[in-house]
């Protein structure tokens, strides 16, 4: 005798997709994002004696260390690009990436007290970290542009349309 087949009557499914970020809800809390960005930016000025000058000093000193070690001691070629410009570009982009990665990875642990008291979309805190780091990157990018314009007028670089294609 064969046993009767069972039929499943319930299906358990996830109520939302992984890619459902609810950006409309995040947009409603744009003022909170602004407040978090302002908090991060102001606290970075208060934590150092040098204040906003540190945004310039950090990439300059790191570039100088790379210039000495990789450019002079190791003798690594930069394919005709001025070494200072080459290393400054790399340091700037790496600083942005690393601060975003470390900042967003610790954002939930750092703001755990806020999460338990008030409801807001949890995506707000990592977005604020990325935006505040983007502002720091913008300040450092201005420094890069100053060096780039210097080397442009000195005649050591010749920008053309292929400069854009080289990076893609």
């Amino acid at each position: 005798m064969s046993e009767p087949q069972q039929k499943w009557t319930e299906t358990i499914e996830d109520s939302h997709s992984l890619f459902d970020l609810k950006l409309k809800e995040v947009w409603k809390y744009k003022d909170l994002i602004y407040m978090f960005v302002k908090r991060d930016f102001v606290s970075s000025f208060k934590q150092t004696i040098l204040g906003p000058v540190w945004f310039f000093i950090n990439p300059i000193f790191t570039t100088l260390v790379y210039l000495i070690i990789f450019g002079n001691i190791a003798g690594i070629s930069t394919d005709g690009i001025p070494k200072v410009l080459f290393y400054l570009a790399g340091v700037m982009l790496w600083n942005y990436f690393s601060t975003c990665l470390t900042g967003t990875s610790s954002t939930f642990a750092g703001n755990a007290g806020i999460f338990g008291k008030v409801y807001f979309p949890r995506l707000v805190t990592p977005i604020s970290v990325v935006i505040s780091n983007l502002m720091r990157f913008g300040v450092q990018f201005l420094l890069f542009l100053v060096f780039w314009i210097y080397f442009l007028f000195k005649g050591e670089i010749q920008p053309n349309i292929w400069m854009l294609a080289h990076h893609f």
Side-chain angles (χ1 to χ4, degrees):
M1 240 195 232
S2 69
E3 294 185 23
Q5 292 183 346
Q6 291 183 335
K7 292 187 179 183
W8 298 101
T9 58
E10 292 186 33
T11 305
I12 300 174
E13 294 179 356
D14 190 14
S15 62
H16 64 280
S17 144
L18 177 65
F19 298 107
D20 184 20
L21 300 177
K22 299 180 182 177
L23 294 178
K24 286 184 181 180
E25 187 178 10
V26 171
W27 182 251
K28 289 179 185 176
Y29 287 88
K30 63 185 174 285
D31 294 332
L32 184 60
I33 294 173
Y34 170 75
M35 295 299 291
F36 280 150
V37 169
K38 184 178 175 184
R39 177 195 69 177
D40 291 343
F41 205 70
V42 168
S43 70
S44 67
F45 289 142
K46 289 183 178 179
Q47 290 179 358
T48 63
I49 295 171
L50 298 174
V53 177
W54 182 250
F55 291 147
F56 296 112
I57 292 175
N58 186 15
I60 288 173
F61 281 157
T62 309
T63 300
L64 287 175
V65 169
Y66 283 8
L67 182 66
I68 292 168
I69 293 174
F70 297 120
N72 295 339
I73 295 174
I76 297 174
S77 172
T78 58
D79 283 341
I81 300 170
K83 291 179 182 180
V84 173
L85 205 58
F86 181 80
Y87 294 124
L88 183 61
V91 164
M92 246 182 19
L93 292 172
W94 176 255
N95 282 346
Y96 175 68
F97 171 75
S98 68
T99 54
C100 282
L101 185 66
T102 57
T104 55
S105 66
S106 64
T107 188
F108 295 112
N111 293 310
I114 299 171
F115 291 146
K117 296 177 184 174
V118 179
Y119 171 76
F120 59 91
R122 301 304 183 242
L123 195 58
V124 165
T125 53
I127 287 174
S128 68
V129 168
V130 170
I131 291 173
S132 65
N133 287 327
L134 189 61
M135 291 173 59
R136 290 181 189 142
F137 175 76
V139 171
Q140 292 177 356
F141 187 70
L142 291 175
L143 175 70
F144 174 77
L145 285 179
V146 167
F147 277 98
W148 189 81
I149 290 170
Y150 169 77
F151 284 112
L152 179 68
F153 284 126
K154 198 173 172 185
E156 292 190 31
I157 57 172
Q158 293 82 28
N160 56 32
I161 193 68
W162 291 109
M163 182 176 73
L164 297 174
H166 177 72
H167 298 290
F168 295 108

